[in-house]
Amino acid sequence: MILGIECTAHTFGVGIVRAGKILANQKDMYKPEKGGIIPMESAKHHKDVAEIIYQEALEQAKISEKELKGIAISISPGLAPCLLEGLRFAKKKAKDLNLPLIPVNHCIAHLEIGQNVGSKDPVLLYASGANTQIIAYSSNKYRVFGETLDMGIGNFIDSFARYVGIPFPGGPEIEKKAKNGKLIELPYSIKGMDSSFSGMLTKLKQLYDKGYTLQDLSYSLQETSFAMLVEAAERAMAHTGKNELVLGGGVACNERLQEMCRIMCGERDAKFFCPDKQLLVDNGAMIAFTGEIMSKSGNKKDLETIDILPRERTDEVLINWR
Ligand code: AMP
Ligand code: MG
């Protein structure tokens, strides 16, 4: 029985997993009143809700904390104040209950949770607010085959949304506006498996100022940026010879993105796995799930040796559990 804590950015989540089965997945999200995330405010949010979410997870799993065998904690990558608050909480619980801590890389957790819906050796299209990466396993590391060269896809969508008066998070609202829009040509910027969104953002803002409708702009934003991601993911699948695709990250909740991935996988006879929405967004269950896999290979660490790694890259983590 492993409890997992997610704290890298806006979400404080606690999940509980036993033998790969998710028993609890509770979370609370910090929402800035206006503008983007302010790290110190998000960290304060985590501090305020931590104990409540922790208790809710125990209740949902119907277990007592004495039954826990370890605590998994997201220590990377993320906003330093948020990571620190999460680690402080995790260390306190681990000390009180005399449990080992398992440090988990957040991006890798998005990939591992694909196993919950049946994937085995996938390419992960990780499309979230701050991160946009194409990740797959190769010789003891999860390699980043492609990534954004400027902003994450979610931040890109949120930035445009904010420009037109839609508050954070803008993605879901843009998805609604995009229904039945017409395609306007936008800068399509992909190099190898890397992508960039700043040119498209500038263009979208200019077109909005010229009076183009939000419907057509939202539609074109989705069609163009998602096509870039799907193209990069397909190239990674072809390059690695893998025939599974897993989606992860908040933007993966977008049904049009899911549909485009499904079509691409269908065309190349590959399997497409899309975890449940509650497991796509930042959540404690994926941290617990990954922590459980890691702990079986002896990745429990002494409390004092664990620190946050705000800038750790996916391919810096030695994968000793596959
Ligand atoms: P994450 O960083 O993984 O927690 O995901 C948050 C990001 O997902 C934000 O940028 C949201 O705007 C975005 N998002 C959530 N739902 C959707 C959606 N339906 N379509 C596009 N983006 C979305
Ligand atoms: Mg995430």
Side-chain angles (χ1 to χ4, degrees):
M1 189 97 67
I2 303 287
L3 180 135
I5 298 173
E6 160 59 30
C7 61
T8 56
H10 45 57
T11 297
F12 187 88
V14 177
I16 299 172
V17 165
R18 180 175 51 205
K21 193 163 177 287
I22 294 164
L23 306 182
N25 192 17
Q26 295 290 328
K27 55 177 162 303
D28 193 77
M29 188 178 165
Y30 152 79
K31 287 204 175 93
E33 275 166 29
K34 65 179 212 290
I37 297 172
I38 299 164
M40 291 303 288
E41 272 187 19
S42 184
K44 179 171 183 309
H45 160 269
H46 293 1
K47 187 176 182 183
D48 292 345
V49 304
E51 186 62 36
I52 300 166
I53 302 298
Y54 176 82
Q55 293 299 339
E56 282 178 3
L58 291 172
E59 268 169 46
Q60 188 189 358
K62 297 194 181 65
I63 61 154
S64 117
E65 57 185 2
K66 294 195 181 65
E67 295 173 67
L68 296 172
K69 294 285 180 281
I71 296 183
I73 169 77
S74 57
I75 53 139
S76 67
L79 304 169
C82 301
L83 292 169
L84 273 177
E85 204 48 63
L87 184 60
R88 193 173 304 150
F89 183 78
K91 280 192 175 175
K92 185 180 171 300
K93 290 294 178 195
K95 231 176 225 151
D96 290 353
L97 299 166
N98 195 23
L99 290 174
L101 272 187
I102 309 148
V104 174
N105 174 294
H106 173 96
C107 306
I108 289 176
H110 274 292
L111 187 141
E112 298 294 7
I113 197 63
Q115 294 180 49
N116 182 252
V117 282
S119 94
K120 292 194 172 63
D121 185 18
V123 166
L124 169 73
L125 171 51
Y126 177 31
S128 79
N131 299 295
T132 301
Q133 295 185 326
I134 316 276
I135 302 170
Y137 180 79
S138 171
S139 31
N140 300 316
K141 295 277 176 76
Y142 283 118
R143 314 275 170 188
V144 179
F145 285 88
E147 63 189 315
T148 175
L149 299 174
D150 42 36
M151 62 196 82
I153 176 102
N155 288 355
F156 154 68
I157 299 174
D158 295 338
S159 297
F160 176 64
R162 200 177 309 139
Y163 190 75
V164 302
I166 299 168
F168 174 85
E173 197 56 33
I174 294 290
E175 179 172 17
K176 281 186 207 145
K177 297 262 189 268
K179 294 264 149 61
N180 304 317
K182 282 195 304 292
L183 190 69
I184 302 161
E185 196 176 320
L186 294 171
Y188 186 96
S189 179
I190 178 156
K191 294 196 172 62
M193 288 176 251
D194 292 333
S195 43
S196 84
F197 301 102
S198 55
M200 201 188 310
L201 179 58
T202 305
K203 185 78 186 176
L204 282 163
K205 288 177 178 173
Q206 286 169 351
L207 293 175
Y208 181 76
D209 290 341
K210 278 188 191 156
Y212 282 78
T213 67
L214 195 49
Q215 184 186 26
D216 289 349
L217 292 173
S218 301
Y219 176 80
S220 308
L221 173 156
Q222 289 198 167
E223 293 303 305
T224 313
S225 63
F226 295 168
M228 284 161 51
L229 298 186
V230 174
E231 179 186 330
E234 180 169 26
R235 197 164 289 153
M237 291 168 81
H239 177 81
T240 57
K242 297 190 195 286
N243 67 347
E244 297 180 357
L245 179 69
V246 166
L247 265 179
V251 182
C253 297
N254 188 290
E255 288 180 13
R256 178 60 180 144
L257 177 59
Q258 294 177 8
E259 183 184 26
M260 287 165 82
C261 290
R262 199 171 289 116
I263 292 169
M264 181 270 278
C265 287
E267 284 175 352
R268 47 184 302 119
D269 265 336
K271 290 186 193 145
F272 173 54
F273 298 96
C274 188
D276 186 70
K277 190 170 174 185
Q278 294 307 314
L279 298 173
L280 280 177
V281 297
D282 288 354
N283 68 90
M286 71 178 185
I287 305 297
F289 190 91
T290 306
E292 188 181 50
I293 300 172
M294 289 173 66
S295 70
K296 286 184 195 149
S297 306
N299 288 285
K300 299 169 193 157
K301 289 234 175 88
D302 182 46
L303 290 194
E304 307 310 326
T305 65
I306 295 181
D307 203 355
I308 61 165
L309 299 168
R311 294 184 173 277
E312 181 178 62
R313 286 186 49 85
T314 307
D315 48 14
E316 285 175 55
V317 182
L318 182 69
I319 308 303
N320 60 4
W321 59 88
R322 285 188 71 109

